[in-house]
Amino acid sequence: MNKKIMLLVLSIFIVAFAVGSVIAEEQKENTEIKMLSEDTLKNGDNIELQLVDAKGNPIASQNINISFEANGELENYSVVTDKDGKVFLVLFNEELGDHKVIVNYEGNEKYNPFKLETSIKIVEGESTSEDTEDESTASTVQYDNSTAKDDNSSASASGEPAELYYCQEYNFYYDSDGVIHGGQSDGADAFETYMSYKDAEQRAAETGSTDLE
């Protein structure tokens, strides 16, 4: 095979690959990230987001990246949507004022990517948010063993607020007994919740499934 034929075959291959990529991209479903929570919140409230397809159907078990501006810097969180396509980010001891929120879904072989940029304002006051459903498997943000004092947590025997530990990988606070305080999994076992999130992420990575059930 001479050089001209080789170049012709190579050109045909490149064109076919490009056309195939365009067709595959067009066959993917468009997506949207909806901001379900208000744009004015208090510490203790949740930023609530939902990933849906072009028809408004929720998309479960998908990785979402959230960047939250705190103290002038962006804090990055890794998120997995629950069976309703929702994710929650609990606000805790954040400064009052405006905060930028950047939410990014990279898509996969079935869904197109989507990026949402918005902002929220944190104001003074106590949260009045209701806990989200216990069966929710939505997650946000590795155990870093940092601790915090939560005025709304159950008190210890001495009457002082219980000392809480923060799970950075999945954005929840838990006490020394391994019980979660606040957010969508209030009262649940921290280790079981952590492992269920891990299992959901692993199954999503291995199968590409959008169904947690």
Side-chain angles (χ1 to χ4, degrees), residues 10-165:
L10 181 60
S11 299
I12 293 173
F13 175 79
I14 293 173
V15 171
F17 178 80
V19 171
S21 298
V22 171
I23 293 175
E25 187 69 22
E26 290 178 348
Q27 290 177 341
K28 290 184 179 183
E29 295 185 44
N30 288 330
T31 60
E32 181 184 1
I33 298 172
K34 296 182 176 180
M35 184 82 161
L36 301 183
S37 53
E38 301 292 334
D39 56 8
T40 299
L41 299 170
K42 304 178 182 69
N43 276 302
D45 287 342
N46 295 323
I47 296 176
E48 182 177 355
L49 303 153
Q50 185 181 36
L51 177 67
V52 298
D53 62 20
K55 297 179 180 179
N57 299 313
I59 307 176
S61 193
Q62 297 298 300
N63 291 322
I64 304 288
N65 296 316
I66 299 177
S67 295
F68 179 79
E69 185 182 33
N71 301 319
E73 297 182 357
L74 288 176
E75 298 176 350
N76 299 311
Y77 301 91
S78 177
V79 186
V80 177
T81 57
D82 70 1
K83 61 184 178 63
D84 297 315
K86 295 180 180 180
V87 293
F88 306 90
L89 184 64
V90 182
L91 299 173
F92 187 80
N93 283 346
E94 299 293 347
E95 289 186 343
L96 303 183
D98 296 325
H99 297 261
K100 181 188 297 183
V101 181
I102 302 173
V103 190
N104 187 45
Y105 172 56
E106 296 183 354
N108 57 21
E109 67 281 354
K110 183 177 180 180
Y111 296 107
N112 284 320
F114 190 88
K115 185 176 182 179
L116 171 69
E117 294 190 30
T118 186
S119 62
I120 65 166
K121 185 174 184 178
I122 300 178
V123 297
E124 291 183 348
E126 294 184 2
S127 171
T128 57
S129 296
E130 296 181 359
D131 293 339
T132 54
E133 298 180 6
D134 289 339
E135 66 268 23
S136 171
T137 53
S139 65
T140 41
V141 233
Q142 67 211 55
Y143 284 99
D144 65 356
N145 293 323
S146 62
T147 62
K149 295 290 185 179
D150 183 357
D151 293 336
N152 296 320
S153 65
S154 57
S156 64
S158 63
E160 293 295 324
E163 184 175 47
L164 299 181
Y165 301 86

Side-chain angles (χ1 to χ4, degrees), residues 190-204:
F191 179 75
E192 291 181 358
T193 301
Y194 180 86
M195 294 307 296
S196 70
Y197 290 167
K198 278 295 183 187
D199 180 63
E201 287 182 341
Q202 183 175 355
R203 285 189 286 113

